[in-house]
Amino acid sequence: ITIFTFINFECPFSQEGYPIFKEITEKYAPIVKIVFKNMPIGSIHPNAMAGHLAAACAQEQGKFWEYYDLLLANKKLELAVLLDYADKLNLDKKKFNNCLDAKKYQSNIDQDIADAATLGIRGTPTYFINQTKVEGVTAKESFDKIILEKIN
């Protein structure tokens, strides 16, 4: 089972749904593959893009999911905080800063945004569990039901 997850780190709904989705991903880890897709919406969330760029730079050092957890749990995306998260995860500071300053993964994020538009995604969080679209903050039981249906 593959779950494509379109998230905006600054979106209050993505933040609210985070603990539920984290629990689901841990519960079904052996049978579920998570594919993260960036969907920062700069027009209403001005700090979102910086958070997404920082997470991509953390991925370069093998710490994407840890960085993702910090972003969604702490709900802070100012530059000083993004750098502090990198320190907390013991990332190579120079490499991380260079990556962030260069906006190295901007084109990847732009492609995810284009993919979201092609799929008709209007907001975050949005998930595709195989081909089943799930929008908004979703109850654990709903995730369970869909995943169990896909297994069977």
Side-chain angles (χ1 to χ4, degrees):
I1 295 173
T2 301
I3 301 176
F4 286 85
T5 172
F6 288 83
I7 297 292
N8 174 346
F9 289 126
E10 196 171 10
C11 169
F13 301 109
S14 289
Q15 294 167 351
E16 181 184 339
Y18 161 72
I20 298 165
F21 189 66
K22 183 167 178 61
E23 188 175 330
I24 290 299
T25 59
E26 289 170 355
K27 180 177 181 178
Y28 294 104
I31 59 167
V32 170
K33 175 184 175 188
I34 306 299
V35 178
F36 179 85
K37 301 293 265 179
N38 298 281
M39 197 173 156
I41 303 170
S43 59
I44 55 175
H45 299 117
N47 295 320
M49 183 60 77
H52 285 268
L53 288 166
C57 292
Q59 179 177 3
E60 190 174 76
Q61 297 186 45
K63 298 278 187 166
F64 172 79
W65 290 109
E66 295 90 337
Y67 203 92
Y68 161 97
D69 288 340
L70 289 170
L71 289 169
L72 287 169
N74 296 315
K75 305 174 187 174
K76 295 183 188 210
L77 297 150
E78 298 79 19
L79 180 59
V81 176
L82 297 176
L83 297 174
D84 184 51
Y85 294 160
D87 281 342
K88 284 182 181 175
L89 296 175
N90 297 314
L91 299 179
D92 178 315
K93 188 181 271 189
K94 183 177 180 183
K95 188 175 180 182
F96 181 83
N97 289 347
N98 288 341
C99 177
L100 195 54
D101 290 344
K103 298 183 178 182
K104 185 174 180 179
Y105 294 100
Q106 183 71 55
S107 63
N108 298 53
I109 294 168
D110 292 342
Q111 183 60 56
D112 285 354
I113 294 167
D115 292 345
T118 300
L119 292 168
I121 296 172
R122 297 184 319 260
T124 56
T126 297
Y127 311 94
F128 283 89
I129 305 171
N130 288 355
Q131 283 74 41
T132 302
K133 185 177 185 179
V134 179
E135 296 177 290
V137 178
T138 303
K140 225 178 349 180
E141 297 76 20
S142 296
F143 276 116
D144 284 331
K145 182 177 183 220
I146 295 167
I147 291 169
L148 293 173
E149 284 173 2
K150 300 296 179 189
I151 291 169
N152 294 329

